[in-house]
Amino acid sequence: MPRIEPLTTEVLYTPCDSSRLPFQDTSDLEEFDGVIGQPRALGAINFGTGIARDGFNIFAMGSSGTGRFTIVKRILEQQAAKRDAPSDWCYVYNFGTPHKPNALRLPAGRGVTLRDDMQQLIEDLGSAIPSAFEAEEYHSRVEKLEQELNERRDQALSQLATEAGEHNIRFLHTPAGFAFAPLDKKGEVIRPESFEQLSPEDKQNIERTVEDLQKRLQRIIRQIPIWQKETREKIKELDREIGRYAADHLIGLIKDRHKDLPEVVAYLDDVERDIVEHVRDFRGESEPQAGLLGIGSKPDALNRYNVNVIIDHDGEQAAPVVYQDLPTYSNMVGRVEYRAQMGTLVTDFMLIKSGDLHRANGGYLILDAMRVLTQPFAWDGLKRALRSREIRIEPLEKALGFMSTVSLEPEPIPLDVKVVLIGERMLYYLLSRYDPEFSDLFKVAADFDERMDRDADSNVQFARLVGRIARQESLLDLDQGAVARLIEHSSRLAEDTEKLSIHMREIVDIMQEADFHARQGAQQLISRGHVQQAIDDKIYRLDRVREHIYEAIRRGTLKIDIKDEKVGQINGLSVLDLGGFSFGQPARITATMRLGSGKVIDIQRETEMGGNIHSKGVLILSNYLASHYARGHPLSMSASLVFEQSYGLVEGDSASLAELCALLSALSGLPIKQSFAVTGSVNQIGEVQAIGGVNQKIEGFFDICRAGELTGEQAVLIPRSNVPHLMLRDDVVAAVAAGEFEIYAVDAVDQAVALLTGVEAGVRDRNDEYPPDSVNGKVERALIGLATRRREYGREREDRDKE
Amino acid sequence: MNEPQQKSGTRVTVVIDASRSSVDTLKTAADIAARVQAHLMALFIEDINLFSLAELPFARELDRTSGASRPLDRHAVTRALQADAERIRQLLENESAQRQIKTSLKVVRGHYVSAAMQAAEETDVVILSHVAGVRLRTVAARMQRRRPARGAGPRPVWTVFDGSPAAQRALAMARDFSIERGAELVVVIARRSFKRLAAEAKDLLGDAPVRFRAIAGGDAGEALRAILAEGSSMFFWPRGESSLFGKLPAFLLDELVCPLIIVS
């Protein structure tokens, strides 16, 4: 097997040649208003906004920081500019069914006009109606009606009193009513003793007459309320006549202004009828009512003629694009508010508040998917509105039965909106899998990529985007070197020398910090050094944990050997992610073996400190051993693997190459050079596969070695398929260039084990045997020995059992 | 205005009976008494006819509102009148405390009109309550309350003016009340002496706003109709033989729907 050579510095870092960038600084670049690296997502959004079919709402998925919101908003605003402003919407009083306010649609800007017209009408009627009722003619007609009533009553009473007088009987007022009293010859009420002296016939006559008069008086008294009611009706009809006279002209003017809107004209007809019926409200004479829904109580009596403009597009030229940061149920579908009145909660149609769906109706609504899903009932409310294509304001507390007070049922408003949900991919997949309505309502998936190809064209595009960000954020322009360093950093973020990360939030953060440093230095441009300082400072602010761990390794608290050779012991590499920063940490992996039944025990898994992927990697090792070394006999060993001094969850299979090498060392008895660290996963046939975080892992081991002494012997083994991902730090590259540190790329386990032990791995010969002094030969022999020992042990045991 | 002086030791009497509205009248009387710092005497008349009627075996009373018939006996009449008198006494005490005036209540059994006329002869200012028959005039009363008396504000204060000293005092009191209450002052003058008396009244009133109403001399009925039509909160009547209207017509006591103040 040919000797594996260490990687040269050319492949360890792929710089961006700033001299090839076609500008001196970003101010030379023309304005960039496009989107880079998202052709698939752009196509999906354009399709989704263009198609006018039900259910073609958009789910924009991807990682946060990739510019999803900015891109979506910009495209939607471009689409919205091509459309007219949608209708205004108002809620008005329903004169037939007060608890169900009517919705009125008006052309953009006309809602406010109608509202102002109605407010002016109320004001005008407030003076016109009282004036009409102040007129002499009205008073004289009322007085005439009153006079008729009085005369009718007085005539009846005086006629009765006269008739009583004819019978020598007086009509008297008592404290609580009336009475009839017979008179004596002097005209005074007869004394009892005088009455007693009358003949029985006279007494009987008087009593009969009084009784008759009383009956007639009773009829008159009972008739009086009827006469009063008749008079009230006549006065009410007179009021209607006067009210109609006062209101007709004023309402006619408003009708004329809105004659092109039949619904408004019909509403104004209702208003006119109601004003005529309730003309007293304008005279300040309405009786305080029970106040159903707060309407009818005296101060609010005229409130019912107001217009609640819930959506006003006055002066707007384009369709709305609405983003809701807090998509609660009521923020989306609107709500009915209440006010405290006399110790209770009341409401009316003027307290109906619009929601985002109202505001976005006729346009576009952008929502954060996670926030919609985490707000109680918001997701259900959104789906219901989209499904029914109408916005129905139903108070949540009522729907849930938490509140039994009288409330409103506003007329639903037709909905025509394109909703764009922005969220992580996992949300999209979960919703697609578990919510059967989701696929019907969000048929367009706009998948935002996190990476784009890195080439000369994309470098320039990237530079233009950086220039635009600098202008948007009021930052200094960047020179060639600064842009080149950002491109390199972007590649590092993408973990690929051939890709650029378009996770722009990180780039913007670096730019802002570099701008700070440039301004601190009174520079006119941001240079490469400022960008580097920003990157280094950010790492420094976050690497307290790394420093503590590395210190523990230096002091021997965490045991990592970087020299000598050990059997069954190897340096693995792991990555710790601390949010905005991740770093590599070497970890000692040890393997032990003994006679057994072919199991490799993963202590991490046994203690439930290993993830599923890690367990899978360890199980693969058993099969590798069996298929490579125990094809003709049982795998009669039992081995155990452990991450020493690991107290957290170990996940991933990137240590499986290191674990396998440790096992092979333990089986063969060949020591492993501790100056090496290993990362990579293996499959059953011994191929080494790519892993993540390769840069951080190499840098992590390098830092540990440098803290001691760089001997030139220290090296890291990585999968060859990870070589295109290398974007290592300058100091690592410099150490490699100086021959102080090495990085090897391997394709197979045999290459790795040969490097680690310094012994040829060995290839089977014609007799299907490994060379005896090779690693594989020693391993195979050890396993055969174990199998033999196991067989012998089995016989001895059988013999003992027989005895 | 040359202020017509109220005689010293002015006596104010309010005459009330069970059939007449008492609260408004008592308040008006207390206002007047407080204004002239007079002792206010309430004269409560127990209608003697009611006692005579209650002695009769067939006496019954018809409820004013429902028309229901119920027996009427002496005890019932006595209890009802005593309750009324007690109510009047409490009202008087309240007014006395509020306005810092001395008050007294006198209960007399007799006839209201003759008692009122006699009181008018003996007292400087007599306030007569209007018949509680407004309870029969529900609609009219409601209209009266509802109508803002030809514009916003309280109903007018009316007074009859014949140039006599009593009329001058009545005019001064009416003017003060109209200003205090923000009410219109309406002065009723006999048509045949209208120019002279209006000028005289104008001279007495000075800058105070006033509206004159000419009516046929001696026709109190015309004045009553005008009052009923336009509404009134108080009606001042100057007592004296020289009045162009002659003696106080008794029907005014039955028809007015506001307190009648007779000024000597």
Side-chain angles (χ1 to χ4, degrees):
Chain A
M1 186 175 286
R3 175 177 161 74
I4 302 292
E5 295 297 327
L7 296 176
T8 59
T9 53
E10 286 75 25
V11 297
L12 301 184
Y13 188 83
T14 306
C16 173
D17 186 354
S18 58
S19 64
R20 292 195 173 187
L21 294 174
F23 56 88
Q24 291 300 312
D25 61 65
T26 49
S27 65
D28 298 338
L29 294 166
E30 58 185 275
E31 186 66 37
F32 177 72
D33 60 353
V35 175
I36 62 168
Q38 303 289 4
R40 181 183 290 104
L42 285 182
I45 295 170
N46 283 323
F47 165 71
T49 53
I51 187 168
R53 298 272 181 187
D54 287 344
F56 281 83
N57 297 295
I58 302 166
F59 193 104
M61 58 176 162
S63 303
S64 63
T66 52
R68 293 167 306 173
F69 175 74
T70 309
I71 293 168
V72 165
K73 187 162 179 279
R74 186 179 308 148
I75 295 174
L76 294 184
E77 283 171 349
Q78 288 166 356
Q79 295 290 336
K82 299 173 189 168
R83 300 171 60 181
D84 293 332
S87 304
D88 286 353
W89 282 97
C90 307
Y91 271 110
V92 294
Y93 189 70
N94 184 339
F95 297 101
T97 317
H99 73 285
K100 292 183 176 179
N102 290 327
L104 276 185
R105 181 206 292 261
L106 295 100
R110 295 276 293 276
V112 171
T113 307
L114 178 63
R115 181 194 65 195
D116 294 346
D117 285 347
M118 292 305 291
Q119 284 177 347
Q120 188 62 47
L121 174 70
I122 295 168
E123 195 176 314
D124 291 346
L125 289 176
S127 57
I129 288 178
S131 296
F133 282 93
E134 282 301 306
E136 194 68 34
E137 183 193 355
Y138 173 73
H139 282 294
S140 61
R141 289 174 69 178
V142 171
E143 281 157 13
K144 187 182 170 192
L145 292 170
E146 290 173 7
Q147 194 63 29
E148 283 173 6
L149 174 67
N150 289 339
E151 284 174 5
R152 199 171 184 182
R153 181 205 62 213
D154 292 347
Q155 191 177 0
L157 289 176
S158 66
Q159 188 176 344
L160 189 64
T162 305
E163 283 188 35
E166 288 169 1
H167 292 92
N168 213 26
I169 291 172
R170 179 172 292 171
F171 180 68
L172 288 180
H173 288 274
T174 66
F178 310 103
F180 290 100
L183 303 178
D184 58 18
K185 291 174 182 172
K186 296 176 183 171
E188 296 294 329
V189 174
I190 194 166
R191 302 292 304 162
E193 53 273 20
S194 304
F195 183 76
E196 283 303 319
Q197 291 172 0
L198 295 175
S199 66
E201 292 77 19
D202 288 344
K203 285 197 276 190
Q204 201 172 8
N205 281 339
I206 289 171
E207 288 183 29
R208 197 181 299 123
T209 304
V210 167
E211 192 177 353
D212 180 55
L213 288 168
Q214 284 173 342
K215 285 178 182 173
R216 290 175 59 188
L217 178 59
Q218 271 183 326
R219 281 199 292 273
I220 291 170
I221 290 173
R222 286 169 186 169
Q223 192 66 25
I224 286 171
I226 297 170
W227 294 339
Q228 288 172 335
K229 189 181 175 189
E230 287 174 4
T231 301
R232 279 198 298 271
E233 283 302 318
K234 287 177 184 173
I235 292 173
K236 204 169 177 181
E237 184 52 39
L238 176 62
D239 287 354
R240 287 193 196 102
E241 186 184 323
I242 300 293
R244 203 174 290 119
Y245 162 76
D248 186 57
H249 172 65
L250 292 170
I251 294 178
L253 290 175
I254 303 175
K255 278 187 192 171
D256 195 47
R257 189 176 301 180
H258 298 281
K259 64 186 174 190
D260 57 323
L261 304 171
E263 283 185 356
V264 175
V265 172
Y267 162 68
L268 291 169
D269 287 340
D270 290 342
V271 169
E272 185 170 7
R273 273 191 292 276
D274 192 75
I275 285 174
V276 169
E277 277 303 312
H278 300 91
V279 73
R280 286 185 180 184
D281 294 343
F282 288 90
R283 302 167 62 192
E285 296 167 0
S286 59
E287 298 288 332
Q289 297 173 15
L292 174 66
L293 307 174
I295 296 172
S297 56
K298 198 168 176 181
D300 297 330
L302 303 182
N303 196 34
R304 62 177 177 270
Y305 305 119
N306 273 322
V307 173
N308 181 4
V309 183
I310 62 161
I311 293 300
D312 170 29
H313 291 296
D314 189 19
E316 294 176 13
Q317 303 296 326
V321 178
V322 175
Y323 170 68
Q324 172 55 265
D325 192 44
L326 182 63
T328 61
Y329 174 86
S330 56
N331 280 353
M332 280 206 297
V333 302
R335 62 189 178 278
V336 178
E337 294 187 339
Y338 295 83
R339 62 166 174 264
Q341 186 173 299
M342 304 291 287
T344 186
L345 294 177
V346 296
T347 186
D348 63 56
F349 72 98
M350 290 300 287
L351 295 176
I352 299 172
K353 304 296 178 188
S354 61
D356 302 317
L357 287 169
H358 294 97
R359 283 188 284 281
N361 202 2
Y364 306 94
L365 175 60
I366 307 171
L367 294 168
D368 185 290
M370 179 58 88
R371 290 179 188 171
V372 173
L373 288 165
T374 51
Q375 289 293 336
F377 300 97
W379 178 237
D380 286 339
L382 177 64
K383 285 193 298 181
R384 187 163 55 242
L386 292 174
R387 198 171 53 238
S388 62
R389 287 189 292 162
E390 64 180 25
I391 315 167
R392 181 184 295 276
I393 299 176
E394 186 177 37
L396 200 53
E397 60 275 17
K398 188 184 172 195
L400 297 174
F402 291 162
M403 198 172 181
S404 58
T405 185
V406 177
S407 186
L408 297 177
E409 294 175 33
E411 183 183 357
I413 288 177
L415 178 64
D416 171 24
V417 69
K418 187 74 73 179
V419 175
V420 181
L421 284 181
I422 295 177
E424 300 284 333
R425 281 194 186 81
M426 185 54 72
L427 270 185
Y428 179 84
Y429 300 138
L430 288 171
L431 287 168
S432 300
R433 175 69 181 83
Y434 293 109
D435 188 338
E437 290 177 310
F438 176 73
S439 299
D440 292 335
L441 297 174
F442 290 87
K443 294 181 178 176
V444 182
D447 196 347
F448 280 74
D449 210 340
E450 281 85 31
R451 306 194 303 176
M452 62 184 280
D453 290 340
R454 177 182 171 186
D455 52 32
D457 287 343
S458 61
N459 282 350
V460 174
Q461 278 190 326
F462 188 89
R464 290 174 66 191
L465 179 60
V466 165
R468 186 180 75 196
I469 293 169
R471 280 184 283 284
Q472 283 176 348
E473 303 287 327
S474 301
L475 306 177
L476 295 174
D477 278 303
L478 293 87
D479 67 13
Q480 284 174 313
V483 174
R485 182 67 189 94
L486 281 177
I487 289 171
E488 292 162 5
H489 186 62
S490 179
S491 253
R492 160 89 180 206
L493 291 174
E495 289 196 337
D496 198 327
T497 56
E498 296 166 6
K499 298 285 180 184
L500 289 174
S501 167
I502 39 184
H503 194 282
M504 295 312 292
R505 186 186 299 159
E506 169 88 12
I507 299 296
V508 173
D509 289 348
I510 295 292
M511 287 172 65
Q512 288 174 332
E513 199 166 332
D515 175 82
F516 171 78
H517 294 310
R519 289 182 194 276
Q520 290 280 80
Q523 301 296 310
Q524 300 300 312
L525 292 171
I526 299 172
S527 66
R528 184 183 185 91
H530 299 131
V531 174
Q532 186 61 49
Q533 188 180 355
I535 294 168
D536 293 344
D537 286 358
K538 185 177 180 188
I539 292 171
Y540 175 73
R541 288 195 295 270
L542 290 168
D543 77 346
R544 183 187 61 83
V545 174
R546 180 175 69 168
E547 272 194 17
H548 284 205
I549 290 173
Y550 289 181
E551 185 185 11
I553 291 172
R554 281 199 306 274
R555 296 171 66 183
T557 310
L558 284 176
K559 294 187 180 306
I560 299 291
D561 287 339
I562 55 173
K563 57 186 179 184
D564 301 332
E565 296 180 342
K566 295 276 175 63
V567 174
Q569 177 178 309
I570 195 168
N571 292 321
L573 292 168
S574 60
V575 173
L576 263 65
D577 195 333
L578 301 177
F581 171 62
S582 59
F583 63 93
Q585 182 193 353
R588 175 181 288 178
I589 300 171
T590 57
T592 58
M593 55 82 56
R594 63 189 180 282
L595 182 65
S597 57
K599 277 185 67 178
V600 176
I601 297 170
D602 175 13
I603 291 179
Q604 243 65 33
R605 185 182 63 180
E606 300 296 319
T607 55
E608 296 184 350
M609 291 171 72
N612 292 333
I613 299 172
H614 181 259
S615 300
K616 177 193 168 195
V618 174
L619 289 173
I620 285 172
L621 302 186
S622 302
N623 289 334
Y624 176 85
L625 291 174
S627 63
H628 276 70
Y629 308 111
R631 285 185 290 190
H633 56 83
L635 185 61
S636 303
M637 59 132 226
S638 183
S640 67
L641 286 167
V642 65
F643 269 69
E644 302 290 356
Q645 293 185 291
S646 167
Y647 307 107
L649 184 75
V650 174
E651 179 56 310
D653 62 354
S654 68
S656 59
L657 173 61
E659 290 167 331
L660 180 55
C661 290
L663 275 176
L664 294 176
S665 168
L667 282 164
S668 65
L670 293 170
I672 287 175
K673 295 174 186 171
Q674 299 299 301
S675 57
F676 276 77
V678 180
T679 183
S681 72
V682 292
N683 60 19
Q684 287 197 114
I685 56 175
E687 292 173 333
V688 177
Q689 302 166 142
I691 45 80
V694 66
N695 293 303
Q696 289 88 340
K697 288 174 176 172
I698 294 171
E699 289 163 359
F701 190 65
F702 173 80
D703 288 337
I704 296 301
C705 293
R706 188 173 58 178
E709 184 187 359
L710 287 173
T711 61
E713 297 290 321
Q714 290 132 343
V716 177
L717 263 65
I718 64 167
R720 188 170 299 283
S721 49
N722 275 121
V723 173
H725 304 153
L726 293 175
M727 285 294 287
L728 290 166
R729 281 190 335 235
D730 288 348
D731 53 350
V732 179
V733 176
V736 170
E740 297 170 348
F741 194 72
E742 289 179 330
I743 298 165
Y744 291 91
V746 294
D747 296 300
V749 174
D750 284 353
Q751 294 171 341
V753 78
L755 279 167
L756 292 168
T757 58
V759 177
E760 188 68 26
V763 180
R764 288 185 187 278
D765 60 16
R766 289 179 190 166
N767 299 323
D768 199 27
E769 291 178 353
Y770 289 113
D773 294 330
S774 68
V775 176
N776 288 333
K778 287 178 181 289
V779 169
E780 189 173 52
R781 197 159 58 249
L783 288 172
I784 289 170
L786 286 170
T788 305
R789 175 73 190 115
R790 186 182 179 194
R791 194 164 52 244
E792 290 171 354
Y793 178 76
R795 283 190 194 136
E796 290 170 7
R797 189 171 178 180
E798 281 177 14
D799 291 345
R800 276 201 305 273
D801 291 344
K802 284 177 184 173
E803 287 172 7
Chain B
M1 173 175 179
N2 299 320
E3 203 65 54
Q5 294 300 309
Q6 197 68 42
K7 291 176 284 187
S8 60
T10 304
R11 293 160 299 170
V12 176
T13 301
V14 57
V15 189
I16 302 168
D17 76 354
S19 67
R20 289 161 198 271
S21 178
S22 51
V23 178
D24 290 348
T25 310
L26 264 179
K27 286 186 179 298
T28 301
D31 268 354
I32 294 171
R35 188 174 299 279
V36 298
Q37 282 301 301
H39 178 99
L40 172 62
M41 185 179 76
L43 189 61
F44 183 72
I45 310 297
E46 293 181 343
D47 189 352
I48 196 166
N49 286 327
L50 290 177
F51 288 95
S52 301
L53 172 63
E55 298 282 335
L56 297 174
F58 55 86
R60 298 189 72 79
E61 178 184 38
L62 296 184
D63 186 86
R64 186 179 283 117
T65 308
S66 66
S69 172
R70 53 182 170 255
L72 185 70
D73 58 29
R74 191 177 183 88
H75 293 299
V77 171
T78 304
R79 276 198 303 273
L81 292 174
Q82 281 175 346
D84 269 0
E86 176 60 20
R87 189 169 55 85
I88 298 297
R89 189 186 61 75
Q90 287 180 359
L91 285 170
L92 268 178
E93 282 181 3
N94 290 343
E95 293 298 330
S96 171
Q98 283 178 17
R99 300 172 197 269
Q100 302 292 308
I101 54 173
K102 290 182 178 173
T103 60
S104 59
L105 172 66
K106 185 176 179 183
V107 180
V108 175
R109 191 166 296 178
H111 299 290
Y112 184 85
V113 175
S114 56
M117 293 302 179
Q118 187 175 347
E121 293 297 325
E122 297 170 351
T123 317
D124 303 307
V125 180
V126 177
I127 299 99
L128 305 181
S129 54
H130 52 286
V131 176
V134 286
R135 292 176 214 169
L136 269 178
R137 302 173 184 164
T138 310
V139 174
R142 187 176 297 172
M143 294 297 160
Q144 181 86 335
R145 284 198 300 276
R146 201 178 70 194
R147 188 168 56 234
R150 298 201 184 286
R155 286 169 283 156
V157 174
W158 291 68
T159 185
V160 166
F161 185 71
D162 58 9
S164 66
Q168 289 180 14
R169 283 190 285 274
L171 182 66
M173 292 176 90
R175 178 206 59 187
D176 292 348
F177 272 100
S178 69
I179 291 170
E180 183 183 290
R181 298 183 178 190
E184 184 187 24
L185 174 63
V186 184
V187 179
V188 178
I189 296 176
R191 186 168 287 128
R192 64 173 180 271
S193 314
F194 184 80
K195 273 191 178 177
R196 176 178 63 79
L197 291 174
E200 190 179 327
K202 193 80 182 163
D203 183 44
L204 289 167
L205 289 170
D207 294 333
V210 64
R211 177 161 65 89
F212 292 106
R213 182 79 188 235
I215 63 169
D219 187 359
E222 189 180 338
L224 178 63
R225 280 193 295 277
I227 287 172
L228 289 176
E230 297 178 25
S232 170
S233 59
M234 306 167 86
F235 184 32
F236 288 86
W237 184 276
R239 184 175 68 82
E241 291 300 320
S242 61
S243 169
L244 291 171
F245 295 90
K247 284 194 172 180
L248 177 71
F251 68 84
L252 268 183
L253 298 180
D254 293 328
E255 295 295 333
L256 271 178
V257 288
C258 67
L260 174 67
I261 300 106
I262 302 170
V263 182
S264 299

